[in-house]
Amino acid sequence: MKIRTLDIVLPLCLLTAGPAFATTYDLPPNGDSVVMEYAQPTAFTKAEEDETLLDVARQYRLGQTEIVRLNQKVDRWHVKKGEPVRLANRRILPDTPHEGITLNLSEYRMYYYPPGGKQVMSFAHGIGRQDWKTPLGKTKVIKKVKDPSWHPPESIRREHAAMGDPLPEVVPPGPHNPLGAYALYLNLPGDYRIHGTDIDKIYGIGMQITHGCVRMYPEDIEALYQHAPVGTSVYIVKQPIKVGWLDNTLYIEAHPDLEGEEMSQDERYALALDLIRKATHEEMPDFDQKILNQVLHDLDGEPAAIYERLPPLEREQPQGITREAGAASPGYYRGS
């Protein structure tokens, strides 16, 4: 199926202040899976003073890896005053049930679907290091604790002692507790949690930095703690490439490999093509090859339009009006 060229010049949206609450998206009413925060397709902010990309990420609740990939030509450690910084806007929802919590480790981002099926809340988070991987699979929240104490396992105490940073048997609640002020315990062997962070590691959100737990910004874990009850289902997945529909247009986004993993370009292309085929139900979909190659090269996590399907025609004709001879039958039409 041949489609129209999807070359679109996107407007520049200049924003001056970050959100003071969790990022909440309205779910498309037709079941599409691409959500958008700002009205314009692309969103930027301008640094009001010399700062770092990490400062901008903190303000807009983005992860460090995410904002660095979105701004690959900007100095991570020196954003000049007035320099534009690209923000995340569109997101493709992971391929999981739209219920409970989904953690997509590949994008260092969480999605919580409140009851009602009309919205999704999204949060940046940190995940387990290469040698302390966050496990995959389905689980649930079995306990919630405010102001938790941390009982570091012996393996972690040995690691810290070897680095000259000995840990006590119990770390009490407070600003230097790695669990932060709130923790959601998961039904997994090994005492895995979704929790906040201490002031020393707050800029590690959106990185592989933990001993397997999921770490969030203080404001975000507080919001999740208040919204997600005990018993909430949790899906932990690894989806470096996602596709999703929005208004008859198929979008694709791609993220870089996690530390310790390496997917070749051929493997990445094969995965993307398989997802496109499944979404379009076509063996050889006529997608935009140039855009796909760019997405798989940049790996910046920004959704890009790659394929357009023909929307259905109205199947009912007003009374008194007949279809002209030679007109297309009810079904699909090609836009001009």
Side-chain angles (χ1 to χ4, degrees):
M1 181 189 300
K2 193 170 180 60
I3 62 170
R4 291 178 290 171
T5 303
L6 296 175
D7 293 335
I8 302 173
V9 179
L10 302 178
L12 183 69
C13 175
L14 297 178
L15 307 167
T16 57
F21 45 82
T23 305
T24 301
Y25 303 91
D26 291 329
L27 292 174
N30 60 355
D32 285 351
S33 57
V34 179
V35 294
M36 187 164 62
E37 182 175 4
Y38 306 111
Q40 291 82 358
T42 305
F44 288 79
T45 187
K46 281 187 176 180
E48 296 183 355
E49 58 185 26
D50 288 359
E51 53 188 346
T52 70
L53 278 179
L54 278 64
D55 295 320
V56 181
R58 177 73 182 94
Q59 181 183 6
Y60 287 91
R61 309 285 173 79
L62 303 176
Q64 182 175 159
T65 300
E66 180 176 29
I67 198 156
V68 169
R69 296 301 301 182
L70 283 171
N71 296 276
Q72 298 178 30
K73 296 183 179 181
V74 177
D75 188 335
R76 180 192 314 218
W77 305 112
H78 186 199
V79 182
K80 302 180 181 64
K81 180 178 179 179
E83 186 174 6
V85 176
R86 187 180 180 186
L87 303 175
N89 185 18
R90 281 184 173 141
R91 299 190 186 279
I92 301 176
L93 300 176
D95 184 16
T96 59
H98 291 181
E99 64 180 26
I101 297 169
T102 288
L103 310 173
N104 186 12
L105 305 187
S106 296
E107 58 176 321
Y108 303 96
R109 184 153 287 272
M110 172 190 308
Y111 298 85
Y112 170 63
Y113 299 88
K118 294 184 178 180
Q119 292 183 320
V120 59
M121 303 169 68
S122 186
F123 311 94
H125 61 69
I127 64 173
R129 295 169 1 199
Q130 177 181 344
D131 52 342
W132 293 84
K133 291 184 178 181
T134 302
L136 302 175
K138 181 183 178 182
T139 183
K140 64 180 179 179
V141 177
I142 58 172
K143 182 174 66 173
K144 301 198 306 183
V145 178
K146 185 178 183 300
D147 296 323
S149 296
W150 183 41
H151 300 259
E154 183 60 31
S155 56
I156 296 179
R157 294 185 66 203
R158 287 196 302 268
E159 179 186 76
H160 277 254
M163 296 186 298
D165 179 30
L167 292 173
E169 292 186 4
V170 180
V171 179
H176 296 285
N177 185 319
L179 301 186
Y182 301 90
L184 281 66
Y185 290 70
L186 303 180
N187 189 26
L188 292 170
D191 212 19
Y192 288 95
R193 319 167 188 84
I194 301 171
H195 60 75
T197 186
D198 56 332
I199 60 175
D200 307 306
K201 298 183 178 67
I202 199 164
Y203 290 105
I205 303 301
M207 299 180 66
Q208 286 180 258
I209 195 173
T210 77
H211 289 93
C213 288
V214 174
R215 177 178 293 163
M216 301 173 65
Y217 284 124
E219 304 87 352
D220 288 347
I221 185 60
E222 181 178 4
L224 184 66
Y225 184 94
Q226 293 173 354
H227 283 83
V230 170
T232 298
S233 58
V234 179
Y235 300 87
I236 308 176
V237 300
K238 186 169 58 177
Q239 297 178 6
I241 300 175
K242 300 182 294 179
V243 299
W245 292 101
L246 179 63
D247 298 332
N248 292 306
T249 297
L250 186 69
Y251 288 81
I252 186 168
E253 71 177 63
H255 300 266
D257 298 323
L258 298 177
E259 294 178 10
E261 302 178 6
E262 185 175 352
M263 185 186 301
S264 69
Q265 281 299 95
D266 287 344
E267 292 172 326
R268 195 171 281 117
Y269 183 89
L271 174 58
L273 183 57
D274 184 52
L275 293 173
I276 294 169
R277 285 171 174 162
K278 289 179 180 179
T280 60
H281 305 292
E282 294 188 23
E283 180 59 31
M284 291 298 293
D286 190 9
F287 60 88
D288 192 314
Q289 182 70 59
K290 182 178 179 181
I291 290 180
L292 177 61
N293 291 339
Q294 192 67 47
V295 167
L296 298 183
H297 174 268
D298 293 345
L299 300 176
D300 61 5
E302 181 72 11
I306 194 171
Y307 177 94
E308 188 176 358
R309 65 185 173 191
L310 305 178
L313 283 170
E314 295 293 335
R315 294 189 177 274
E316 294 185 4
Q317 293 293 321
Q319 291 184 356
I321 299 179
T322 60
R323 187 175 300 277
E324 296 179 1
S329 61
Y332 294 91
Y333 72 90
R334 190 178 315 282
S336 58

